[in-house]
Amino acid sequence: MAKTDYAALKKGGFMRQKQKDNFSLRLAVVGGTLTAENLRKIAEVAEKYGDGHVHLTSRQGVEIPFVKLQDIDEVKDSLAQGGCEPGVCGPRVRTVTACQGNAICPSGNIDTYHIAKELNDRYFGRELPHKFKFGVTGCQNNCLKAEENDVGIKGAAQVTWKEDACIQCGVCEKACREKAIKLEDNQVKVDYSKCNFCGRCAKSCPTDAWDVKEAYLLSFGGTFGNSISKGESLLPLITSEEQLFRVTDAAIQFFDDYGKAGERFKFTIDRVGKDHLYEVLKGAYDG
């Protein structure tokens, strides 16, 4: 009898349970989004090959427990028929999480699912010194808790007042929680040193008197496990997708170049130096 390669199974999303020869299968889910077809197939597989239930993970994943060792190949084939694939575990890029973003949420500043899918296509499953997590949240409400991730992406609104459309109603001043807006002498003045790019001013405006451009705020080195650390924002506002992915490329390559086996990104940053990471990121930021 061939020896079971548990490491390979774990890499492919099959995690050993305490029950002998039983596995909990982690599925690949991008940005918390599944189709009705996906859900029907997952239910079918859970009933036929598991014990009839699934587990929703803290990172928007789905796990099917009690999959038997001898059924693993059949399970993968069956899931593929419903557009589902196994996820990954271990030292590699994990599931990219996302809130619903501006496609659905009135507060959203960016299309979070689009960004999550781009990140997934670019990095998912990449081998690294330790697990690596991306989280994408649509605005300052921060539903996805971006700073808990190795790289967190937060949607931002880059706003510019349009004088010709403004009726000086003062709604934007009242909406701004950072006290960055003042209406004086029929002029709206923005203190951009206080602005957190939440976009509440533009969203509250009854006459659309703001030009709004989608932008991104990034944080680096977050963890929320045995050690809890809030990711730090090291860069100014990122104003294009091209710039965004230059920076994420640089961050993940920094970890690949300097990380030690079993060391999270945060501890690589601490060991190698935040200043060194900043130089690398700023070079990517500047292009």
Side-chain angles (χ1 to χ4, degrees), residues 211-255:
D211 277 324
V212 183
K213 295 181 180 178
E214 291 187 8
Y216 313 90
L217 294 164
L218 267 61
S219 58
F220 305 89
T223 60
F224 207 79
N226 291 300
S227 176
I228 298 175
S229 300
K230 181 182 177 182
E232 294 190 50
S233 299
L234 302 177
L235 295 173
L237 191 68
I238 290 175
T239 56
S240 72
E241 279 190 33
E242 180 187 4
Q243 188 181 41
L244 170 67
F245 293 123
R246 286 203 310 264
V247 170
T248 57
D249 282 349
I252 207 166
Q253 190 60 51
F254 183 94
F255 187 43

Side-chain angles (χ1 to χ4, degrees), residues 45-189:
V45 169
E47 288 179 342
K48 184 174 180 180
Y49 297 102
D51 72 343
H53 89 277
V54 300
H55 173 69
L56 303 181
T57 75
S58 60
R59 287 190 61 79
Q60 300 182 324
V62 176
E63 292 175 4
I64 304 174
F66 292 99
V67 173
K68 306 299 183 288
L69 179 62
Q70 67 269 19
D71 293 333
I72 283 176
D73 289 337
E74 286 185 35
V75 165
K76 289 193 287 188
D77 289 343
S78 181
L79 285 168
Q81 294 169 20
C84 301
E85 296 179 357
V88 297
C89 304
R92 48 196 59 88
V93 178
R94 301 291 189 82
T95 295
V96 181
T97 59
C99 69
Q100 296 198 82
N102 67 5
I104 291 175
C105 178
S107 297
N109 290 320
I110 60 171
D111 186 341
T112 51
Y113 179 69
H114 166 70
I115 296 299
K117 193 171 186 310
E118 290 292 319
L119 290 167
N120 185 77
D121 291 346
R122 207 173 184 100
Y123 308 120
F124 181 66
R126 175 173 169 174
E127 302 285 331
L128 289 169
H130 205 336
K131 61 186 173 184
F132 198 93
K133 299 176 179 179
F134 288 97
V136 188
T137 202
C139 67
Q140 287 288 352
N141 289 338
N142 205 11
C143 296
L144 245 291
K145 303 175 181 63
E147 291 85 358
E148 291 181 2
N149 294 272
D150 296 281
V151 173
I153 299 171
K154 189 178 294 182
Q158 189 177 28
V159 296
T160 306
W161 178 56
K162 296 189 296 185
E163 183 175 4
D164 59 343
C166 183
I167 58 173
Q168 291 86 43
C169 65
V171 170
C172 57
E173 182 178 12
K174 294 174 183 175
C176 181
R177 294 175 175 176
E178 304 303 308
K179 308 300 182 186
I181 295 176
K182 288 190 181 300
L183 176 60
E184 297 177 345
D185 301 323
N186 294 324
Q187 294 284 307
V188 172
K189 298 178 181 179

Side-chain angles (χ1 to χ4, degrees), residues 255-275:
F255 187 43
D256 209 356
D257 290 342
Y258 296 105
K260 294 181 177 180
E263 177 181 68
R264 288 293 296 274
F265 186 38
K266 182 264 190 300
F267 300 111
T268 300
I269 297 168
D270 289 347
R271 178 173 52 79
V272 177
K274 192 188 304 179
D275 290 344

